[in-house]
Amino acid sequence: MTSTASSSEERARPQPIEAVPVRHPGRWLAVAVLAVLAAMLVNTILTNPGFRWPVVGEYLFSPPVLNGLRNTLILTVLSMAIGVVGGVALAVMRLSPNPVLSGVAALYIWLFRGTPLIAQLLFWNFLAALYPRLSLGVPFGPEFISFDTNTLINQFAACLLGLGLNEAAYMAEIVRGGLLSVDEGQSEAAGALGMSRAQTLRRIVLPQAMRVIIPPTGNETISMLKTTSLVVVIGYFELLTSVQRIYSTNFQTIPLLIVAAIWYLALTSILSVGQGFVERHYGRGTSRGDTGARLFFPRRNPEQSAGAV
């Protein structure tokens, strides 16, 4: 009886499924093509004498290049500070129920986003042609203090005005989008608790909006680092200007441009990693709180890793 029951159970037991892996010939073909292209790229970089890698190493840490790099970093930090502060103010004005404030902010954004940045840099640099002297005083009345425009707005000030005020127009739209992403009911609840509009913005809306604001702000910072190279049109000494002055005398154009590219890539990589940390900080407490910018080794979901075959 027992042997009969056992044989019946064995016959009823389903046979194990033989899983056949899905073939992906297209993937292997793409990998092969990319491997060949990568080998060709490495070969031309290492064997082409036109790159002149000894010249690159000679000027990579030269004092003129490092001085231009320092000026580039200063311009990036100060211009982004002006852009962020101005962008927050413009976004609040843009969302204000006051039509005058909203209209002024909309006009500012339209003007600075609608004209080229190079034209704005040139305008601020040659402002003295329009206003030889700038003064403070009562409108249509006496002047209290007066400045020579060329003395007040030098090349550095023209760079900050051009880059910072232009960036404020873009940051205004980024901040406005972040503020609008917060549910309006939270502002109404804060108002019911007796909070003023400023308190609601500072304590309730902005902390939540930062999750939306931070990623594009990081992109704008990286973009600003490279956009500073446009100040070459007014002759300010930054990274690209420094290498241009060097290769204009020794005619080593390609090696000096590679030097600038290496520094730009290094700085953008550092900024990208920093952006990832800031995103994770403001993303705590959400299901997407660990989605920082990982350049090379993105973390996989543990459930996906366990279920991967």
Side-chain angles (χ1 to χ4, degrees):
M1 254 333 253
T2 305
S3 60
T4 304
S6 299
S7 60
S8 300
E9 290 178 0
E10 290 178 358
R11 287 195 300 270
R13 183 180 302 169
Q15 296 296 322
I17 300 176
E18 296 182 3
V20 179
V22 180
R23 307 297 180 184
H24 299 285
R27 295 183 183 178
W28 292 107
L29 178 61
V31 170
V33 171
L34 291 176
V36 172
L37 293 177
M40 293 172 60
L41 177 63
V42 172
N43 178 68
T44 187
I45 289 176
L46 295 179
T47 60
N48 191 335
F51 284 100
R52 297 185 179 90
W53 293 109
V55 179
V56 174
E58 177 185 354
Y59 286 99
L60 188 61
F61 295 99
S62 63
V65 171
L66 293 180
N67 187 28
L69 179 65
R70 176 180 62 85
N71 291 341
T72 294
L73 290 174
I74 292 174
L75 278 180
T76 302
V77 173
L78 295 181
S79 298
M80 280 306 301
I82 295 173
V84 170
V85 174
V88 172
L90 287 169
V92 174
M93 292 172 60
R94 190 79 172 84
L95 296 173
S96 173
N98 189 322
V100 176
L101 294 178
S102 179
V104 169
L107 179 63
Y108 180 98
I109 295 170
W110 169 77
L111 178 62
F112 281 87
R113 288 200 310 174
T115 54
L117 177 56
I118 290 182
Q120 296 175 33
L121 288 169
L122 291 171
F123 176 84
W124 291 112
N125 189 56
F126 296 109
L127 185 63
L130 186 61
Y131 297 105
R133 298 194 65 83
L134 298 175
S135 60
L136 295 176
V138 178
F140 309 105
E143 296 180 358
F144 297 141
I145 188 171
S146 179
F147 304 95
D148 179 68
T149 304
N150 282 324
T151 303
L152 183 64
I153 302 180
N154 52 21
Q155 281 188 335
F156 180 70
C159 293
L160 287 183
L161 289 172
L163 295 173
L165 296 181
N166 179 267
E167 182 62 32
Y170 290 92
M171 283 301 305
E173 293 299 284
I174 293 174
V175 175
R176 186 171 70 93
L179 296 177
L180 291 176
S181 68
V182 180
D183 185 48
E184 190 175 353
Q186 300 195 37
S187 300
E188 295 175 355
L193 292 175
M195 288 188 180
S196 65
R197 181 179 174 85
Q199 290 175 329
T200 302
L201 178 66
R202 187 177 67 255
R203 299 179 182 179
I204 306 297
V205 178
L206 268 180
Q208 298 180 72
M210 291 298 288
R211 297 171 184 170
V212 179
I213 295 172
I214 287 298
T217 302
N219 292 337
E220 288 294 315
T221 304
I222 293 173
S223 178
M224 177 62 72
L225 176 69
K226 296 173 290 183
T227 304
T228 54
S229 61
L230 294 180
V231 301
V232 67
V233 299
I234 60 176
Y236 187 72
F237 190 82
E238 46 78 53
L239 179 58
L240 189 61
T241 310
S242 66
V243 300
Q244 284 182 334
R245 291 184 181 180
I246 295 174
Y247 72 61
S248 65
T249 57
N250 62 9
F251 305 105
Q252 300 289 342
T253 305
I254 296 299
L256 268 300
L257 290 177
I258 292 176
V259 168
I262 290 174
W263 278 117
Y264 280 123
L265 285 172
L267 293 175
T268 53
S269 300
I270 295 173
L271 290 175
S272 297
V273 174
Q275 177 185 349
F277 283 111
V278 176
E279 286 184 24
R280 287 196 295 274
H281 172 75
Y282 283 100
R284 291 178 301 178
T286 65
S287 59
R288 296 174 295 176
D290 199 27
T291 57
R294 293 181 173 85
L295 295 177
F296 305 108
F297 304 104
R299 182 180 298 176
R300 298 183 62 184
N301 190 329
E303 297 179 358
Q304 294 176 352
S305 301
V309 179

